[in-house]
Amino acid sequence: MKAGISILGCGWLGLDLARALIASGFKVKGSTTTSTKLEILKHYNIEPYLISISELGIKGDFEGFISNSEILIIAVPPGLRKNPDKRYDLEMTFVAKALAQTSVKYILFIGSTSVFQDDYTIPVIYADTEPNSNHTNAKQLLAAERLFTELEGISTTILRFSGLIGDDRHPGYYLQGRKNLPNSEGPINLIHKMDCIGIIKRILHDNHWGKTWNAAFPKHPKRKAYYVQFCKQHELPEPTFASTLKSKGKIIDSTKMAQILDYDFKIEP
């Protein structure tokens, strides 16, 4: 019998992940912050829980949400871009404390490659590269990572995704027609939602716990060429780039992760 899984955050990624795991034979509990979404979760055979987390604590039946679950997947977007004053690290502290003396043995924490700073030398970020961003958002993400990797009796894998895209979500739509964009020569680091789910399934299937990985599609075209071509293909107004500005960025190398998981990326951004 497969382990029970609780997914904290059945949003854009978490909902489709839950559906894929159920199709693979897992029993899945899922949380949402929106009461109207409870019926959607139930429709997909996800045991639904209404849970919200703030700097004041956790609201909802968190104990019931994680009971009898051996694995907790934390897929809660930090939301720090929209709310820079938010204390995501403090919110995750309440989650970490709530896990004491529970059935949870393993945690998969969905993080972000934004913990690595963009550099004018365009460095390659390998599996063993230490995070180096001094941005407040990155510091909060790293603090959250440490919370869960330091929990006693629980083995945590950190999975940092690059820019998440899907059939209904792509930065090219946001950048269409914009003028004088920076970083024309900066590399692209994107990953499709279905590859995210495929990687997570492989981690669960082969019990890759206690790891830290960065995940991005292995091709990294330059920003200007990529987004101009994307807009042409989708018949959107092409963006323009300020070529006089020096470009910065980074390349996320997922080679080691793909080798260890024996995973082939399926969808090129």
Side-chain angles (χ1 to χ4, degrees), residues 25-211:
F26 288 98
K27 182 179 180 181
V28 178
K29 297 180 180 182
S31 80
T32 177
T33 59
T34 308
S35 58
T36 54
K37 198 173 181 179
L38 293 171
E39 287 300 319
I40 296 176
L41 300 187
K42 192 180 297 184
H43 172 76
Y44 291 117
N45 296 316
I46 305 164
E47 188 175 331
Y49 286 82
L50 185 64
I51 295 173
S52 61
I53 307 167
S54 71
E55 296 174 24
L56 301 177
I58 300 174
K59 287 185 178 180
D61 183 15
F62 193 83
E63 183 177 346
F65 167 67
I66 59 174
S67 66
N68 300 318
S69 287
E70 194 173 86
I71 299 169
L72 172 64
I73 298 176
I74 301 174
V76 180
L80 294 168
R81 288 184 179 179
K82 293 181 179 179
N83 185 3
D85 295 325
K86 185 179 180 183
R87 286 295 307 276
Y88 177 75
D89 54 341
L90 180 56
E91 294 177 1
M92 291 299 103
T93 300
F94 291 110
V95 175
K97 289 180 178 177
L99 294 175
Q101 298 180 345
T102 65
S103 59
V104 173
K105 296 180 181 179
Y106 307 100
I107 293 173
L108 179 60
F109 180 83
I110 307 300
S112 169
T113 56
S114 64
V115 296
F116 301 99
Q117 70 180 8
D118 289 337
D119 197 319
Y120 286 107
T121 62
I122 317 294
V124 178
I125 307 299
Y126 297 103
D128 57 353
T129 302
E130 290 294 325
N132 60 352
S133 177
N134 291 317
H135 197 281
T136 300
N137 294 2
K139 289 180 179 179
Q140 290 198 41
L141 281 167
L142 288 171
E145 289 184 5
R146 287 192 295 270
L147 277 171
F148 298 111
T149 55
E150 293 174 359
L151 287 175
E152 292 186 10
I154 296 177
S155 186
T156 297
T157 284
I158 305 297
L159 183 56
R160 303 178 183 132
F161 287 132
S162 291
L164 295 170
I165 65 167
D167 296 339
D168 59 340
R169 170 175 165 172
H170 196 287
Y173 294 111
Y174 171 71
L175 295 178
Q176 63 172 303
R178 296 185 65 185
K179 307 296 183 184
N180 296 317
L181 293 170
N183 299 328
S184 62
E185 300 300 297
I188 295 298
N189 295 283
L190 298 174
I191 184 168
H192 195 279
K193 175 165 58 174
M194 299 315 296
D195 274 318
C196 296
I197 292 172
I199 290 168
I200 291 170
K201 288 176 66 178
R202 190 61 58 87
I203 289 171
L204 299 178
H205 183 269
D206 294 338
N207 291 308
H208 288 284
W209 300 110
K211 312 291 185 181

